[in-house]
Short mmCIF file of all heavy atoms in Angstrom, two decimals:
data_model
loop_
_atom_site.label_atom_id
_atom_site.label_comp_id
_atom_site.label_asym_id
_atom_site.label_seq_id
_atom_site.Cartn_x
_atom_site.Cartn_y
_atom_site.Cartn_z
N ALA A 1 -1.66 -0.04 8.01
CA ALA A 1 -0.73 -1.11 8.17
C ALA A 1 0.68 -0.64 8.02
O ALA A 1 0.84 0.50 7.51
CB ALA A 1 -1.13 -2.28 7.15
N ARG A 2 1.53 -1.46 8.27
CA ARG A 2 3.06 -1.13 8.15
C ARG A 2 3.71 -2.35 7.61
O ARG A 2 3.35 -3.40 7.94
CB ARG A 2 3.61 -0.60 9.52
CG ARG A 2 2.84 0.50 10.15
CD ARG A 2 3.81 1.21 11.20
NE ARG A 2 4.69 2.20 10.58
CZ ARG A 2 4.31 3.40 10.31
NH1 ARG A 2 3.01 3.77 10.43
NH2 ARG A 2 5.21 4.19 9.74
N SER A 3 4.81 -2.04 6.81
CA SER A 3 5.63 -3.02 6.29
C SER A 3 6.65 -3.55 7.29
O SER A 3 7.00 -2.77 8.16
CB SER A 3 6.43 -2.50 5.05
OG SER A 3 7.28 -1.48 5.41
N ASP A 4 6.96 -4.90 7.16
CA ASP A 4 7.93 -5.46 8.17
C ASP A 4 9.37 -5.39 7.54
O ASP A 4 9.59 -4.63 6.59
CB ASP A 4 7.59 -6.85 8.48
CG ASP A 4 7.62 -7.85 7.23
OD1 ASP A 4 8.27 -7.50 6.13
OD2 ASP A 4 7.05 -8.85 7.31
N SER A 5 10.31 -6.04 8.20
CA SER A 5 11.71 -5.97 7.88
C SER A 5 11.99 -6.53 6.36
O SER A 5 13.10 -6.17 5.81
CB SER A 5 12.58 -6.69 8.85
OG SER A 5 12.25 -7.98 8.92
N HIS A 6 11.14 -7.33 5.91
CA HIS A 6 11.23 -7.92 4.52
C HIS A 6 10.46 -7.04 3.46
O HIS A 6 10.42 -7.48 2.38
CB HIS A 6 10.60 -9.36 4.57
CG HIS A 6 11.44 -10.18 5.52
ND1 HIS A 6 12.60 -10.64 5.23
CD2 HIS A 6 10.96 -10.79 6.56
CE1 HIS A 6 13.02 -11.47 6.15
NE2 HIS A 6 12.09 -11.56 7.09
N GLY A 7 9.80 -5.98 3.91
CA GLY A 7 9.12 -5.14 3.09
C GLY A 7 7.59 -5.69 2.81
O GLY A 7 6.82 -5.10 2.03
N ASP A 8 7.21 -6.74 3.58
CA ASP A 8 5.94 -7.38 3.40
C ASP A 8 4.88 -6.44 4.13
O ASP A 8 5.04 -6.01 5.19
CB ASP A 8 5.80 -8.78 3.95
CG ASP A 8 6.76 -9.74 3.18
OD1 ASP A 8 6.98 -9.47 1.94
OD2 ASP A 8 7.32 -10.63 3.72
N TRP A 9 3.66 -6.50 3.57
CA TRP A 9 2.56 -5.71 4.13
C TRP A 9 1.24 -6.45 3.81
O TRP A 9 1.17 -7.12 2.73
CB TRP A 9 2.46 -4.30 3.63
CG TRP A 9 2.29 -4.10 2.23
CD1 TRP A 9 3.36 -4.04 1.38
CD2 TRP A 9 1.19 -4.05 1.50
NE1 TRP A 9 2.91 -3.81 0.07
CE2 TRP A 9 1.57 -3.88 0.07
CE3 TRP A 9 -0.09 -3.98 1.66
CZ2 TRP A 9 0.65 -3.73 -0.97
CZ3 TRP A 9 -1.10 -3.96 0.70
CH2 TRP A 9 -0.71 -3.82 -0.67
N THR A 10 0.25 -6.30 4.69
CA THR A 10 -1.12 -6.88 4.39
C THR A 10 -2.14 -5.91 4.84
O THR A 10 -2.03 -5.26 5.93
CB THR A 10 -1.24 -8.16 5.24
OG1 THR A 10 -0.17 -9.06 4.98
CG2 THR A 10 -2.48 -8.85 5.00
N ILE A 11 -3.08 -5.87 3.94
CA ILE A 11 -4.38 -5.03 4.32
C ILE A 11 -5.49 -6.11 4.47
O ILE A 11 -5.76 -6.78 3.58
CB ILE A 11 -4.72 -3.95 3.18
CG1 ILE A 11 -3.70 -2.88 3.15
CG2 ILE A 11 -6.17 -3.50 3.34
CD1 ILE A 11 -3.69 -2.01 4.33
N GLN A 12 -6.09 -6.00 5.66
CA GLN A 12 -7.16 -6.94 5.99
C GLN A 12 -8.53 -6.67 5.36
O GLN A 12 -9.23 -7.53 4.87
CB GLN A 12 -7.28 -7.15 7.49
CG GLN A 12 -6.14 -7.35 8.19
CD GLN A 12 -5.59 -8.77 8.21
OE1 GLN A 12 -6.31 -9.67 7.83
NE2 GLN A 12 -4.36 -9.01 8.56
N ASN A 13 -8.91 -5.45 5.49
CA ASN A 13 -10.24 -4.91 4.96
C ASN A 13 -10.12 -4.46 3.52
O ASN A 13 -9.71 -3.40 3.18
CB ASN A 13 -10.57 -3.66 5.93
CG ASN A 13 -11.98 -3.22 5.51
OD1 ASN A 13 -12.78 -3.83 4.82
ND2 ASN A 13 -12.26 -1.96 5.92
N ILE A 14 -10.70 -5.35 2.78
CA ILE A 14 -10.68 -5.07 1.20
C ILE A 14 -11.79 -4.09 0.84
O ILE A 14 -12.95 -4.39 1.07
CB ILE A 14 -10.70 -6.24 0.36
CG1 ILE A 14 -9.49 -7.24 0.60
CG2 ILE A 14 -10.86 -5.97 -1.02
CD1 ILE A 14 -9.55 -8.52 -0.10
N GLU A 15 -11.36 -3.02 0.26
CA GLU A 15 -12.24 -2.00 -0.41
C GLU A 15 -11.71 -1.78 -1.73
O GLU A 15 -10.94 -0.82 -1.91
CB GLU A 15 -12.39 -0.73 0.43
CG GLU A 15 -13.21 -1.05 1.68
CD GLU A 15 -13.68 0.23 2.42
OE1 GLU A 15 -13.79 1.19 1.66
OE2 GLU A 15 -14.08 0.10 3.52
N LEU A 16 -12.07 -2.47 -2.80
CA LEU A 16 -11.47 -2.36 -4.08
C LEU A 16 -11.61 -1.06 -4.80
O LEU A 16 -10.86 -0.77 -5.65
CB LEU A 16 -11.90 -3.57 -5.00
CG LEU A 16 -11.51 -4.92 -4.61
CD1 LEU A 16 -12.07 -5.94 -5.46
CD2 LEU A 16 -10.01 -5.05 -4.38
N GLU A 17 -12.63 -0.31 -4.33
CA GLU A 17 -12.79 1.10 -4.91
C GLU A 17 -11.98 2.02 -4.21
O GLU A 17 -12.07 3.32 -4.51
CB GLU A 17 -14.30 1.41 -4.84
CG GLU A 17 -15.19 0.44 -5.68
CD GLU A 17 -14.76 0.34 -7.11
OE1 GLU A 17 -14.54 1.38 -7.70
OE2 GLU A 17 -14.81 -0.75 -7.66
N GLY A 18 -11.33 1.62 -3.14
CA GLY A 18 -10.43 2.59 -2.37
C GLY A 18 -9.09 2.78 -3.01
O GLY A 18 -8.79 2.22 -4.06
N THR A 19 -8.29 3.59 -2.32
CA THR A 19 -6.86 3.85 -2.80
C THR A 19 -5.85 3.53 -1.66
O THR A 19 -6.10 3.80 -0.43
CB THR A 19 -6.78 5.35 -3.11
OG1 THR A 19 -7.79 5.77 -4.14
CG2 THR A 19 -5.33 5.69 -3.63
N LEU A 20 -4.76 2.83 -1.99
CA LEU A 20 -3.73 2.63 -1.13
C LEU A 20 -2.73 3.62 -1.12
O LEU A 20 -2.33 4.18 -2.26
CB LEU A 20 -3.05 1.21 -1.56
CG LEU A 20 -3.80 -0.12 -1.24
CD1 LEU A 20 -3.19 -1.26 -1.97
CD2 LEU A 20 -4.08 -0.25 0.16
N ILE A 21 -2.26 4.11 -0.03
CA ILE A 21 -1.32 5.28 0.02
C ILE A 21 -0.11 4.74 0.81
O ILE A 21 -0.21 4.16 1.88
CB ILE A 21 -1.88 6.46 0.79
CG1 ILE A 21 -3.23 6.87 0.10
CG2 ILE A 21 -0.92 7.65 0.83
CD1 ILE A 21 -3.99 8.07 0.93
N PHE A 22 1.11 4.94 0.22
CA PHE A 22 2.29 4.50 0.83
C PHE A 22 3.18 5.64 1.22
O PHE A 22 3.45 6.57 0.42
CB PHE A 22 3.13 3.56 -0.14
CG PHE A 22 2.36 2.34 -0.54
CD1 PHE A 22 1.37 2.30 -1.56
CD2 PHE A 22 2.74 1.13 0.10
CE1 PHE A 22 0.75 1.10 -1.82
CE2 PHE A 22 2.08 -0.08 -0.22
CZ PHE A 22 1.03 0.00 -1.26
N LYS A 23 3.63 5.64 2.51
CA LYS A 23 4.32 6.85 3.12
C LYS A 23 5.55 6.35 3.92
O LYS A 23 5.36 5.41 4.63
CB LYS A 23 3.44 7.60 4.04
CG LYS A 23 2.24 8.35 3.25
CD LYS A 23 1.41 9.13 4.31
CE LYS A 23 0.36 9.93 3.62
NZ LYS A 23 -0.34 10.88 4.53
N LYS A 24 6.71 6.92 3.75
CA LYS A 24 7.88 6.70 4.47
C LYS A 24 8.73 7.92 4.33
O LYS A 24 8.99 8.48 3.32
CB LYS A 24 8.63 5.33 3.96
CG LYS A 24 9.80 5.15 4.87
CD LYS A 24 10.58 3.77 4.41
CE LYS A 24 11.78 3.57 5.11
NZ LYS A 24 11.65 3.41 6.68
N ALA A 25 9.33 8.33 5.60
CA ALA A 25 10.25 9.45 5.58
C ALA A 25 11.44 9.30 4.77
O ALA A 25 11.93 8.14 4.71
CB ALA A 25 10.66 9.65 7.10
N GLY A 26 11.74 10.27 3.92
CA GLY A 26 12.82 10.25 2.99
C GLY A 26 12.53 9.63 1.64
O GLY A 26 13.31 9.53 0.71
N TYR A 27 11.20 9.31 1.41
CA TYR A 27 10.76 8.78 0.08
C TYR A 27 9.41 9.53 -0.32
O TYR A 27 8.70 10.20 0.57
CB TYR A 27 10.44 7.34 0.22
CG TYR A 27 11.49 6.35 0.54
CD1 TYR A 27 12.11 6.22 1.76
CD2 TYR A 27 12.10 5.67 -0.58
CE1 TYR A 27 13.25 5.60 1.99
CE2 TYR A 27 13.26 4.90 -0.41
CZ TYR A 27 13.76 4.76 0.85
OH TYR A 27 14.79 4.02 1.13
N LEU A 28 9.20 9.57 -1.63
CA LEU A 28 7.95 10.24 -2.07
C LEU A 28 6.79 9.29 -1.79
O LEU A 28 6.89 8.08 -2.00
CB LEU A 28 8.09 10.61 -3.57
CG LEU A 28 9.19 11.58 -3.86
CD1 LEU A 28 9.15 11.86 -5.44
CD2 LEU A 28 9.09 12.88 -3.17
N ASN A 29 5.64 9.98 -1.42
CA ASN A 29 4.37 9.17 -1.25
C ASN A 29 3.95 8.57 -2.65
O ASN A 29 4.28 9.14 -3.72
CB ASN A 29 3.28 10.10 -0.73
CG ASN A 29 3.64 10.66 0.72
OD1 ASN A 29 4.46 10.02 1.36
ND2 ASN A 29 2.81 11.58 1.16
N LYS A 30 3.24 7.39 -2.57
CA LYS A 30 2.79 6.79 -3.77
C LYS A 30 1.23 6.47 -3.49
O LYS A 30 0.96 5.97 -2.34
CB LYS A 30 3.47 5.72 -4.22
CG LYS A 30 2.99 4.98 -5.40
CD LYS A 30 3.87 3.96 -5.94
CE LYS A 30 4.94 4.45 -6.87
NZ LYS A 30 5.55 3.34 -7.64
N ARG A 31 0.38 6.70 -4.41
CA ARG A 31 -1.07 6.36 -4.36
C ARG A 31 -1.43 5.43 -5.53
O ARG A 31 -1.10 5.75 -6.72
CB ARG A 31 -1.92 7.72 -4.49
CG ARG A 31 -1.77 8.67 -3.34
CD ARG A 31 -2.59 10.01 -3.70
NE ARG A 31 -3.92 9.66 -3.69
CZ ARG A 31 -4.66 9.80 -2.59
NH1 ARG A 31 -4.22 10.19 -1.42
NH2 ARG A 31 -6.06 9.60 -2.64
N ILE A 32 -2.08 4.35 -5.14
CA ILE A 32 -2.37 3.33 -6.14
C ILE A 32 -3.85 2.88 -5.85
O ILE A 32 -4.22 2.50 -4.79
CB ILE A 32 -1.47 1.96 -6.01
CG1 ILE A 32 -0.01 2.58 -6.31
CG2 ILE A 32 -1.82 1.02 -7.04
CD1 ILE A 32 1.01 1.32 -6.02
N PRO A 33 -4.70 2.75 -6.92
CA PRO A 33 -6.01 2.21 -6.64
C PRO A 33 -5.85 0.79 -6.12
O PRO A 33 -5.10 -0.13 -6.62
CB PRO A 33 -6.63 2.13 -8.17
CG PRO A 33 -5.87 3.25 -8.85
CD PRO A 33 -4.36 3.22 -8.34
N ALA A 34 -6.61 0.45 -5.19
CA ALA A 34 -6.54 -0.79 -4.43
C ALA A 34 -6.71 -1.99 -5.45
O ALA A 34 -6.07 -3.11 -5.28
CB ALA A 34 -7.43 -0.81 -3.34
N LYS A 35 -7.62 -1.84 -6.26
CA LYS A 35 -7.97 -2.98 -7.14
C LYS A 35 -6.86 -3.30 -8.25
O LYS A 35 -6.88 -4.25 -8.87
CB LYS A 35 -9.37 -2.80 -7.87
CG LYS A 35 -9.38 -1.57 -8.84
CD LYS A 35 -10.71 -1.46 -9.45
CE LYS A 35 -10.92 -0.29 -10.29
NZ LYS A 35 -12.24 -0.08 -10.82
N HIS A 36 -5.90 -2.22 -8.41
CA HIS A 36 -4.82 -2.36 -9.30
C HIS A 36 -3.46 -2.50 -8.78
O HIS A 36 -2.50 -2.39 -9.24
CB HIS A 36 -4.88 -1.30 -10.38
CG HIS A 36 -6.08 -1.15 -11.17
ND1 HIS A 36 -6.56 -2.10 -11.90
CD2 HIS A 36 -6.85 0.05 -11.28
CE1 HIS A 36 -7.66 -1.68 -12.45
NE2 HIS A 36 -7.88 -0.49 -12.26
N ALA A 37 -3.43 -2.74 -7.34
CA ALA A 37 -2.19 -2.82 -6.73
C ALA A 37 -1.33 -4.00 -7.09
O ALA A 37 -1.79 -5.18 -7.03
CB ALA A 37 -2.47 -2.90 -5.14
N PRO A 38 -0.17 -3.78 -7.54
CA PRO A 38 0.72 -4.79 -7.97
C PRO A 38 1.36 -5.56 -6.69
O PRO A 38 1.25 -4.90 -5.60
CB PRO A 38 1.86 -4.12 -8.75
CG PRO A 38 1.92 -2.73 -8.14
CD PRO A 38 0.51 -2.42 -7.87
N GLY A 39 2.01 -6.63 -6.93
CA GLY A 39 2.72 -7.35 -5.80
C GLY A 39 3.88 -6.65 -5.28
O GLY A 39 4.17 -6.71 -3.98
N VAL A 40 4.59 -5.93 -6.26
CA VAL A 40 5.75 -5.18 -5.72
C VAL A 40 5.63 -3.68 -6.03
O VAL A 40 5.29 -3.26 -7.12
CB VAL A 40 6.97 -5.78 -6.47
CG1 VAL A 40 8.21 -4.82 -6.18
CG2 VAL A 40 7.36 -7.19 -6.08
#
């Protein structure tokens, strides 16, 4: 998925045992367990 102009993002397929990975040029990558993903 990709974030929009407001920074909003949505993942449709929930796999709570998986890991969310955030990537953007000019920023450090971040990995977060899906089941512990905060709102911000």
Side-chain angles (χ1 to χ4, degrees):
R2 305 199 81 82
S3 61
D4 63 17
S5 60
H6 300 288
D8 295 330
W9 57 272
T10 302
I11 290 290
Q12 308 283 344
N13 179 20
I14 295 180
E15 293 197 15
L16 294 181
E17 298 304 318
T19 300
L20 289 172
I21 305 172
F22 296 82
K23 295 183 176 183
K24 182 175 175 62
Y27 294 80
L28 298 181
N29 296 344
K30 177 173 274 191
R31 299 174 63 91
I32 300 175
K35 63 181 177 181
H36 298 308
V40 173

